[in-house]
Amino acid sequence: MFTDFTHHHPYPSQRSTTYAKDGMVATSQPLASQIGRDILAQGGNAIDAAIAAAAALTVVEPTGCGIGGDAFALVWIADDGQGQGKLYGLNASGHAPSGLTPEAMQCAGHESIPMYGWTPVTVPGCPAGWAELSRRFGKLEFATLLAPAIQLARHGFPVSPVISKLWQQAEVTFRKQLTGEAASPWFDTFTPHGQAPKAGEIFSCEAQARTLEELANTQCESFYRGEIAEKIDAFSQRTGGYLRKEDLANYQPEWVEPISTSYRGYDVWEIPPNGQGLVALMALRILEGFDITHRDDPQTLHRQLEAMKLAYTDGRTHISEPAAMTYSVEALLSDGYTDTRREMIGERAIDPTPGKPDAGGTVYLATADADGNMVSFIQSNYHGFGSGIVIPDTGIAMQNRGHNFSLDPQHDNLLAPGKKTFHTIIPGFLTKQGVGIGPFGVMGGFMQPQGHVQVVMNMIDFGLNPQAALDAPRWQWMGERRIGLEHTFPAHLARDMAERGHEISLAHDTVSFGRGQIILRDPETGIYWGGTEPRTDSSIAVL
């Protein structure tokens, strides 16, 4: 019957801001949001809800994340035991295998790290991140948090529309790019009937259900020092991979100090390098020095684009893991360096070059609970399903994060064994005068810091509510003077940007412009209000 009706939406719809008192979960897939909400209803906190929703997303949105990916989190604990709130950062990104060296790449004939196959696979940090969050801050048993994802994988779920579209695109790509024994498990796992599932079609994966059960029963130890690690090692050795069980056994996620900048009375927080959140902070620092009028002023848009160009060029040049960076976070955010970068912005579009101050495919979710705890969480396999490598009979799709390493000996992000690469996935968080305001994030590769800058300015500079901040048309710097604008951008802005020397293209497929979630907490009433992304299958579930 439902084949009689289109899955497309030819007419724009409107979402209202969502309000709640006792809890909120915002994700890119309705089933994951509902699972997070159910965990809150069972007595879990925001951290428990984030873990449960994240595990569910590896099942229902494999086009953006998986068990074989990485994760980062910013966790606001409303009472740190001393009567005040505190923000914690978790870096659960993985390092390069010991056998993945520049010399090995040279011997293989690579001038850059390939996108697909075993070569770009780094140690997955996601399972360890879930377990560490639960260990430090969770309330419910870890197995309880993974139980809903296990049920979804085992008994199946109807694939949602945007995910179905991305799944079909991935199938086309992998049929062109993947060959040999290492490639067949992806098709066996994700196209069991010979093609990617259509919207509304039921998909299940018993192998992933069993893997999630093993993770639940071992608090994810099996992935790094047990049965699952042995399977990964065996398949890698058999099919020419670099990853070994010793690389997995040596991995631990890191608790890190979040970095921030003040922006018009708010503090904007990001994960430090190797993540690219620093790019968003550098751009905001530049923009704070301008008098911003209104959102649809051509001067405002021009300055946003130029600030992002400069910040991103610096980020791609200087961000790696902290020990490998020539310039520190403090230097890149310093007043003097920010001023010199701001002075480069005139009335015309420029070709950006990196500066030298005085001497880093995705799902995002946000959760909040009745006690005021809030989580900004992001996980990813990098490009869609990742490398195209799936460990047989496990449902584990391996990420391709190593693609971002450089093979230039002079580059800060030069490939090295045990090193963490420049990372695109970044959770964000807002505070004001030491009070937690809420989590925000925009998933989507190199769009992420650009999305962070836009939603922060939409709320702080232009007074938009969380839903409107996500609904607003987005821009995207695409290199040099190339700018992508969503087709709903006002025409006068597109014309003005072209006259200033920007090379403008209008996009009708808006998936590449990021997909975000926002939850804000009123510090006086404790009421949450949230927005969810209109460009994907997102939803908010409340308690």
Side-chain angles (χ1 to χ4, degrees):
M1 173 180 175
F2 290 113
T3 58
D4 295 339
F5 310 118
T6 179
H7 290 284
H8 302 296
H9 297 273
Y11 310 112
S13 62
Q14 176 180 316
R15 300 188 192 214
S16 298
T17 301
T18 302
Y19 294 88
K21 179 171 69 71
D22 294 324
M24 182 176 288
V25 178
T27 84
S28 50
Q29 215 280 347
L31 292 170
S33 298
Q34 186 60 45
I35 284 168
R37 184 261 177 211
D38 291 346
I39 290 294
L40 292 176
Q42 293 175 41
N45 60 17
I47 296 85
D48 294 320
I51 296 165
L57 283 166
T58 69
V59 179
V60 300
E61 194 168 348
T63 55
C65 69
I67 297 169
D70 281 346
F72 293 87
L74 290 170
V75 181
W76 177 263
I77 299 300
D79 187 347
D80 65 353
Q82 300 179 5
Q84 57 186 4
K86 181 175 173 61
L87 189 66
Y88 297 84
L90 181 68
N91 181 332
S93 66
H95 54 260
S98 58
L100 192 64
T101 65
E103 293 76 21
M105 297 299 94
Q106 185 177 15
C107 290
H110 297 311
E111 295 182 356
S112 61
I113 306 294
M115 179 71 78
Y116 302 113
W118 269 114
T119 304
V121 175
T122 52
V123 174
C126 196
W130 298 345
E132 181 62 15
L133 284 169
S134 176
R135 181 197 67 78
R136 186 164 186 180
F137 293 123
K139 290 176 64 178
L140 301 183
E141 292 292 327
F142 187 69
T144 300
L145 308 181
L146 268 58
I150 294 167
Q151 289 294 104
L152 283 173
R154 175 158 290 143
H155 300 293
F157 61 94
V159 176
S160 49
V162 172
I163 293 168
S164 171
K165 176 183 176 181
L166 295 173
W167 208 317
Q168 292 168 38
Q169 291 173 352
E171 181 191 358
V172 171
T173 297
F174 285 159
R175 291 201 183 279
K176 294 178 181 177
Q177 298 287 341
L178 302 181
T179 58
E181 181 186 359
S184 59
W186 188 89
F187 296 101
D188 295 341
T189 302
F190 293 110
T191 60
H193 304 297
Q195 62 182 14
K198 296 181 174 62
E201 185 176 328
I202 299 296
F203 178 82
S204 63
C205 185
E206 175 60 28
Q208 188 175 2
R210 292 194 301 268
T211 294
L212 287 165
E213 284 179 329
E214 176 74 3
L215 296 177
N217 293 333
T218 66
Q219 287 74 51
C220 297
E221 273 293 297
S222 179
F223 192 96
Y224 300 95
R225 289 162 281 274
E227 179 183 336
I228 296 174
E230 294 287 346
K231 291 181 178 179
I232 294 171
D233 179 78
F235 189 59
S236 178
Q237 293 205 48
R238 190 169 78 242
T239 55
Y242 295 91
L243 188 64
R244 297 292 182 265
K245 60 185 178 182
E246 292 80 9
D247 299 310
L248 297 166
N250 290 332
Y251 179 73
Q252 292 289 344
E254 299 177 76
W255 290 101
V256 295
E257 285 296 323
I259 58 174
S260 69
T261 189
S262 174
Y263 186 75
R264 307 194 196 281
Y266 289 82
D267 289 311
V268 184
W269 296 86
E270 301 278 357
I271 288 284
N274 56 315
Q276 65 172 342
L278 177 58
V279 171
L281 301 185
M282 288 190 290
L284 288 170
R285 289 274 289 146
I286 293 170
L287 287 162
E288 191 176 31
F290 292 117
D291 292 328
I292 301 296
T293 54
H294 58 87
R295 190 179 186 281
D296 292 338
D297 179 2
Q299 186 76 295
T300 296
L301 178 57
H302 173 67
R303 287 170 170 169
Q304 286 178 313
L305 296 174
E306 296 298 283
M308 180 52 63
K309 285 183 193 178
L310 293 167
Y312 227 134
T313 303
D314 278 342
R316 289 294 285 158
T317 304
H318 300 308
I319 292 177
S320 184
E321 63 178 19
M325 289 174 59
T326 302
Y327 303 109
S328 67
V329 169
E330 292 76 17
L332 290 164
L333 290 175
S334 67
D335 289 345
Y337 184 62
T338 300
D339 289 344
T340 64
R341 299 303 265 170
R342 187 184 302 114
E343 289 167 1
M344 297 179 68
I345 299 176
E347 296 301 313
R348 300 284 300 172
I350 62 172
D351 291 317
T353 57
K356 294 183 178 180
D358 294 333
T362 304
V363 297
Y364 174 79
L365 63 92
T367 64
D369 63 29
D371 295 325
N373 303 308
M374 295 175 276
V375 178
S376 184
F377 185 92
I378 195 161
Q379 64 186 19
S380 174
N381 275 10
Y382 188 36
H383 270 252
F385 281 90
S387 63
I389 299 296
V390 171
I391 309 305
D393 302 318
T394 67
I396 299 172
M398 304 296 280
Q399 65 183 4
N400 54 347
R401 187 59 61 179
H403 176 68
N404 281 333
F405 275 119
S406 173
L407 295 180
D408 178 355
Q410 304 305 315
H411 200 287
D412 285 358
N413 199 41
L414 173 67
L415 170 66
K419 184 176 181 178
K420 294 182 176 182
T421 186
F422 173 100
H423 223 290
T424 58
I425 64 174
I426 51 172
F429 200 91
L430 289 176
T431 65
K432 188 173 186 179
Q433 298 176 350
V435 176
I437 301 300
F440 69 92
V442 178
M443 55 185 167
F446 295 99
M447 178 64 196
Q448 292 179 60
Q450 306 189 59
H452 280 210
V453 167
Q454 290 174 72
V455 298
V456 166
M457 293 186 72
N458 284 346
M459 292 187 291
I460 295 175
D461 287 291
F462 312 130
L464 298 183
N465 65 58
Q467 187 59 57
L470 291 168
D471 291 343
R474 293 182 192 148
W475 48 262
Q476 181 176 185
W477 177 58
M478 305 173 75
E480 299 176 337
R481 299 186 186 187
R482 300 190 306 276
I483 303 296
L485 299 178
E486 290 189 302
H487 68 280
T488 51
F489 242 95
H492 77 280
L493 290 178
R495 286 194 301 269
D496 192 282
M497 294 307 101
E499 291 170 359
R500 292 171 186 258
H502 298 284
E503 298 171 6
I504 299 298
S505 61
L506 293 179
H508 289 268
D509 185 348
T510 60
V511 171
S512 68
F513 286 80
R515 291 158 284 162
Q517 314 293 333
I518 302 172
I519 295 176
L520 303 183
R521 183 176 186 270
D522 187 318
E524 295 182 1
T525 66
I527 296 297
Y528 293 110
W529 49 330
T532 192
E533 182 59 65
R535 295 163 183 82
T536 190
D537 306 316
S538 297
S539 76
I540 293 181
V542 300
L543 196 64

